[in-house]
Amino acid sequence: MSWVDVFTCFWKVAGALVGDEEEDWVKAWEAQKDLVLAVIRGFQNSQWPNYLLPVLYQTSNNLRILAIRADTYILATSKISISVEQLQEKLEDAARVINRGFTICISDRAPLEESRKWGTYYMSNLLFKTYFKLNTISLTKNILRAIDASTSDLPSISVFPSSQGVTFWYYLGVVNFLEGKYEEAEKNLMLALDRCYAKAKKQRELILMYLIPTRLLTKQLLPTKALLSQYPRLEALYLPFTQCIKAGNLKMFDEALAAGEEEFVKWRIYLTLERGREVVLRNLFRKAYLLQPAEGQAKTRVPLEIFRVAVELSSGAGKGETEVEEVECLLANMICSGYMKGYISREHSKVVLSQRDPFPGTKVEE
């Protein structure tokens, strides 16, 4: 009876979308939900073979799309106020159904050549998309834990289709990024970028959206103009940052951050980019160090006043508005973070810098 149920639900979906009247997105979503559940029952009860996994893929993805349409339709046509919990009620329900599809894949104990485990990464990627849309990114932990617990009998991700691997590494990298695990984020985002199809501009742009600020923090690497010119949106967002970071200009950095604030918050990268201020300060202090007239060993003993004036001019503050104590705090953070090598001598009002590479330099990434 499983295929009878599948086709019955399918025609109900079709009827809701292409009937004589206006599309009924809620009715279509309800029928699509029944369709996915019928497919899941087919794998669970009727032991469908794994070559039918694309049926699960397509119906589950359509469920996600129809859930978004249904929620939008409810919001647009509702005559009463809708609570925050009700705004994405259909998509939340869809996530639970898709999770059942993921479970029947990853928990299959059949021999590998017949196993449904080959659907694990497609279904996990579908859940990632859904959780990100719902802004419930913490739920991705459940998926990652399930995959980690199945590593012994789950085929290597390298033997799955490249598109599934790239999508999985991208979402894993973004999750690492949002948790502040930048080293892990860089590793997974680089895996996604290296294996992403060269002409897939949209996908590569999504990866670079997070990889650029990640590498700025982990390796102080900046993208080149040639790289950014291939992606107009990234160029508009990140080119001002590369210019002010190289120049060590605090005022330009604050202006660039304010100009792109809405977009940065949307992509959840604002707080990470804000930390790039440390790199701007490092370059500013390096310029001040190089411009001082002292030579030899005396050059490594820089008066605090030189750094104070540099911060004052770069930030656009009025004369005498920047206090020495504030600059001492900035310098201490730079030294603690590894952007400078040396120590502060308050007794002599100087910063004593290392004679060898006192400022690890900013590199430019091709």
Side-chain angles (χ1 to χ4, degrees):
M1 288 294 291
S2 56
W3 280 112
V4 174
D5 295 337
V6 167
F7 282 111
T8 300
C9 295
F10 172 79
W11 287 115
K12 286 181 180 179
V13 175
L17 294 178
V18 297
D20 296 333
E21 300 178 0
E22 184 180 356
E23 299 97 334
D24 189 336
W25 295 110
V26 176
K27 186 177 179 180
W29 174 83
E30 291 171 348
Q32 185 70 26
K33 176 182 174 183
D34 291 337
L35 172 56
V36 177
L37 291 174
V39 171
I40 291 173
R41 286 195 299 272
F43 282 106
Q44 287 180 322
N45 304 331
S46 302
Q47 298 301 310
W48 285 3
N50 64 358
Y51 63 74
L52 290 176
L53 280 172
V55 177
L56 177 64
Y57 299 164
Q58 191 60 56
T59 54
S60 298
N61 189 45
N62 288 346
L63 179 65
R64 181 184 66 88
I65 295 170
L66 286 173
I68 295 171
R69 292 289 188 92
D71 285 329
T72 304
Y73 177 78
I74 292 171
L75 182 62
T77 58
S78 177
K79 296 180 180 179
I80 60 174
S81 59
I82 299 177
S83 66
V84 175
E85 292 77 13
Q86 293 174 309
L87 285 177
Q88 295 181 310
E89 183 179 2
K90 303 301 183 187
L91 188 59
E92 290 175 357
D93 200 5
R96 288 188 284 270
V97 175
I98 295 170
N99 190 57
R100 289 183 60 180
F102 169 76
T103 301
I104 67 168
C105 290
I106 198 168
S107 61
D108 191 20
R109 293 293 178 264
L112 193 57
E113 60 273 11
E114 303 172 4
S115 177
R116 294 191 297 266
K117 285 185 180 294
W118 293 105
T120 296
Y121 284 108
Y122 186 98
M123 296 303 292
S124 67
N125 292 339
L126 202 55
L127 281 171
F128 284 147
K129 292 179 183 179
T130 308
Y131 291 151
F132 270 71
K133 180 69 175 178
L134 290 169
N135 199 27
T136 55
I137 300 171
S138 60
L139 294 178
T140 60
K141 288 297 182 184
N142 299 329
I143 305 303
L144 295 174
R145 277 196 293 267
I147 291 175
D148 288 341
S150 301
T151 51
S152 60
D153 53 358
L154 184 67
S156 169
I157 192 172
S158 62
V159 300
F160 283 78
S162 296
S163 59
Q164 295 181 24
V166 168
T167 303
F168 180 79
W169 282 316
Y170 164 73
Y171 279 110
L172 181 56
V174 175
V175 170
N176 296 147
F177 177 91
L178 297 176
E179 292 177 341
K181 300 176 181 177
Y182 297 113
E183 297 290 344
E184 294 179 33
E186 180 184 7
K187 173 187 173 183
N188 289 307
L189 291 170
M190 284 300 297
L191 283 170
L193 186 65
D194 290 342
R195 289 161 176 77
C196 186
Y197 182 49
K199 294 184 178 180
K201 291 292 185 181
K202 181 179 178 181
Q203 287 73 21
R204 294 178 72 86
E205 181 181 75
L206 288 173
I207 297 168
L208 287 168
M209 181 68 77
Y210 292 95
L211 185 57
I212 288 173
T214 298
R215 303 205 81 185
L216 172 63
L217 290 185
T218 58
K219 292 184 171 61
Q220 293 82 59
L221 288 170
L222 296 173
T224 62
K225 287 184 179 180
L227 174 65
L228 292 176
S229 64
Q230 301 175 47
Y231 309 94
R233 179 166 60 170
L234 295 182
E235 185 176 37
L237 289 174
Y238 288 123
L239 186 58
F241 277 94
T242 63
Q243 293 171 337
C244 62
I245 287 173
K246 290 176 184 177
N249 192 313
L250 292 170
K251 185 178 180 181
M252 281 178 58
F253 178 85
D254 293 337
E255 290 172 350
L257 196 63
E261 180 176 355
E262 184 176 347
E263 194 74 6
F264 297 144
V265 171
K266 172 186 171 183
W267 289 97
R268 305 179 179 93
I269 58 177
Y270 181 86
L271 295 177
T272 303
L273 285 175
E274 197 173 35
R275 292 183 58 184
R277 188 182 178 87
E278 293 180 339
V279 184
V280 181
L281 278 168
R282 188 275 309 278
N283 288 349
L284 173 64
F285 290 151
R286 182 173 181 272
K287 287 178 179 291
Y289 161 78
L290 293 173
L291 289 172
Q292 64 168 326
E295 296 292 340
Q297 190 176 13
K299 194 174 182 66
T300 62
R301 290 163 171 75
V302 187
L304 281 169
E305 180 63 15
I306 289 180
F307 290 134
R308 189 198 69 80
V309 173
V311 171
E312 191 171 81
L313 293 174
S314 179
S315 62
K319 186 175 181 180
E321 290 184 5
T322 303
E323 298 180 355
V324 174
E325 290 77 9
E326 177 185 350
V327 177
E328 284 183 1
C329 182
L330 293 174
L331 288 164
N333 286 334
M334 292 292 98
I335 295 169
C336 182
S337 301
Y339 289 111
M340 297 173 60
K341 297 179 182 179
Y343 63 91
I344 301 172
S345 173
R346 299 197 69 184
E347 182 181 357
H348 299 95
S349 296
K350 290 184 177 181
V351 178
V352 182
L353 296 171
S354 170
Q355 293 187 16
R356 183 179 180 181
D357 194 21
F359 296 90
T362 297
K363 303 178 183 68
V364 178
E365 181 180 26
E366 294 293 343

